[in-house]
Amino acid sequence: VMARLLRKRFSSAASIALLVAAPAIAGPITVDGSIDPANRNAVGDLPWIYIGVWEGTGADGYPLGEVTWQNDDFLVTPIALFDTGSTKVAVSEPTDLYLNNFDPTKTIEDSNPVEVRGNGLQDGAGPWGVSPTNEGGPEEAGLVVSGVEVEVSSTIPPKVVPITYSPDFGVEVFPSLVGSPVTTQSIALLDYTSLATATVNFGPDPGIGGNDVIAIFEGPEISFFDEGEAPAMELMFSLTRIPESSTTPENRKRYILDSVTFNNGSGSTSGSFFYDTGTTVTFINNVIAASLGITSATAPSFDCGFGIGAEIDSFVLSGPLGDYTVNNAQVCWTQTDGTFAGPFNALIGSNLFSQVPVLFDGINNTLSVGFAAENSPPVADAGEDQTVECTSTLGASVVLDGTGS
């Protein structure tokens, strides 16, 4: 905080005491997580990005996924999930991936490791994230990570997304996953307050009259930054890389969010819990549910697919600059003893951040919330004008109020 003394003219010397406002501090940030009309406070948004891989700088590139129908009506999309909960960069097994604009003589498995590049949906960069030919360069992509091994996987779960000609009808797609080999080397702004939309045309489907199946992908605007270039944020919280096996490379680790507290009635539980951008719901197991007094008799607040969707009094994330609090927070009780990513009794999903921008810094292990107030020129205000009469040759004492500065 900058302060500037506003001088006033006196008829004689005067001793001046200046009352200056205390420095501003960040936070806290408090939002209401009650069920909203769009249900985003209960079921949050997926972090979709355009993605492509390259053999190297200036080399030919190709998308992670073909924009066509696949075996048994599988749909594979060149749009991927920026997924901090995944330990791999992977594409779905039905996909045939080729270099040189689908050259059938060379597949992705022949080319590992590769360079991964991507952009947020709002950049409108098309399904490759950047140009799919050797005309494209890293400067066109916000996300650029080299030396990445891409896995072809049969275990990627499909996601259901709406299609254009029937908003009530969804289609299963098999996205690529951009996990910890990339996320641990990324700084990404996920602005859940501003949603971006992209469409992918999978072509005609004979089963529905030959109509083009145009899938709609909607998620937070996502921007990528180099170190030192990310926007200033209001609150910052610590992440810890999960201490998995010592044989696990450091860049294949995921994250836990430290200093979390769940509150409900007289119950409360605090600790560190698994953080996953690729999960839209916040899950708790039996241990957390019992500490919060959630039972099978609890009236569900929303449909979480399985278990009980429950509203608790608050979710609090504590940090040195202030707390981030979600009152009336929505969680999904799995009704099992199962843990998440090892020993953790809760998984923190995107629904608890649906009303704020989030800066995920996988390099420096921090999660920041809320844009910081922009800097502005200082304003000097020493209070109301005063006329002071000198009472002696020593002058007079004057008190100026600088709290308005």
Side-chain angles (χ1 to χ4, degrees):
V1 175
M2 295 180 63
R4 187 172 61 188
L5 176 64
L6 178 64
R7 294 184 177 179
K8 291 195 173 183
R9 185 169 297 172
F10 299 94
S11 59
S12 180
S15 61
I16 298 173
L18 183 63
L19 304 180
V20 181
I25 60 173
I29 296 176
T30 301
V31 299
D32 183 4
S34 301
I35 296 292
D36 58 310
N39 207 38
R40 292 179 61 236
N41 290 344
V43 182
D45 301 295
L46 287 170
W48 299 111
I49 59 174
Y50 290 122
I51 201 72
V53 297
W54 266 249
E55 288 190 289
T57 302
D60 289 325
Y62 54 107
L64 294 184
E66 293 185 51
V67 190
T68 59
W69 286 95
Q70 297 291 330
N71 308 327
D72 301 321
D73 291 343
F74 286 125
L75 296 178
V76 183
T77 172
I79 293 179
L81 285 175
F82 184 78
D83 189 358
T84 62
S86 175
T87 59
K88 58 190 176 184
V89 175
V91 296
S92 187
E93 191 174 51
T95 311
D96 289 319
L97 299 176
Y98 305 118
L99 286 174
N100 304 319
N101 200 18
F102 306 114
D103 178 353
T105 65
K106 196 170 186 181
T107 69
I108 190 172
E109 292 176 314
D110 298 326
S111 307
N112 279 321
V114 296
E115 183 175 85
V116 174
R117 307 181 195 169
N119 281 321
L121 299 186
Q122 76 279 0
D123 293 324
W128 287 274
V130 290
S131 170
T133 70
N134 58 10
E135 297 175 359
E139 67 277 1
E140 297 181 11
L143 173 68
V144 179
V145 178
S146 301
V148 178
E149 291 192 3
V150 178
E151 177 182 325
V152 178
S153 173
S154 61
T155 59
I156 298 176
K159 302 293 184 183
V160 177
V161 298
I163 55 179
T164 54
Y165 63 80
S166 178
D168 297 326
F169 182 76
V171 63
E172 281 191 341
V173 299
F174 288 78
S176 302
L177 298 180
V178 177
S180 59
V182 169
T183 59
T184 55
Q185 302 180 68
S186 304
I187 300 175
L189 175 67
L190 292 78
D191 188 355
Y192 293 102
T193 69
S194 184
L195 300 183
T197 301
T199 58
V200 174
N201 189 339
F202 290 99
D205 175 15
I208 51 176
N211 292 316
D212 282 354
V213 175
I214 303 175
I216 304 171
F217 295 84
E218 183 178 64
E221 289 192 359
I222 301 177
S223 302
F224 297 96
F225 299 91
D226 293 330
E227 285 194 86
E229 296 184 358
M233 306 296 285
E234 188 168 357
L235 302 178
M236 180 183 291
F237 307 98
S238 66
L239 293 166
T240 300
R241 296 194 186 188
I242 293 177
E244 298 175 20
S245 167
S246 60
T247 60
T248 302
E250 182 65 20
N251 67 353
R252 292 183 66 85
K253 291 186 177 180
R254 297 174 289 177
Y255 297 87
I256 52 176
L257 194 51
D258 301 319
S259 303
V260 171
T261 302
F262 294 98
N263 299 300
N264 194 51
S266 60
S268 178
T269 186
S270 299
S272 297
F273 303 103
F274 183 42
Y275 171 65
D276 184 3
T277 59
T279 300
T280 58
V281 175
T282 294
F283 292 101
I284 61 173
N285 67 3
N286 288 346
V287 174
I288 302 294
S291 69
L292 300 178
I294 300 173
T295 69
S296 57
T298 300
S301 62
F302 71 101
D303 180 7
C304 64
F306 61 92
I308 293 178
E311 182 174 290
I312 63 172
D313 290 345
S314 66
F315 161 88
V316 181
L317 186 55
S318 299
L321 300 178
D323 293 348
Y324 170 67
T325 301
V326 182
N327 289 326
N328 308 309
Q330 309 299 316
V331 298
C332 182
W333 173 29
T334 62
Q335 295 185 291
T336 70
D337 294 329
T339 56
F340 306 94
F344 304 104
N345 293 319
L347 182 158
I348 310 300
S350 66
N351 68 302
L352 294 180
F353 301 97
S354 63
Q355 302 175 63
V356 291
V358 171
L359 183 69
F360 168 81
D361 187 340
I363 299 173
N364 298 297
N365 304 327
T366 61
L367 190 77
S368 301
V369 173
F371 289 126
E374 294 184 2
N375 290 331
S376 59
V379 176
D381 185 347
E384 297 294 329
D385 290 345
Q386 302 179 54
T387 300
V388 180
E389 183 177 350
C390 291
T391 56
S392 73
T393 57
L394 297 177
S397 295
V398 177
V399 176
L400 300 181
D401 184 357
T403 57
S405 298

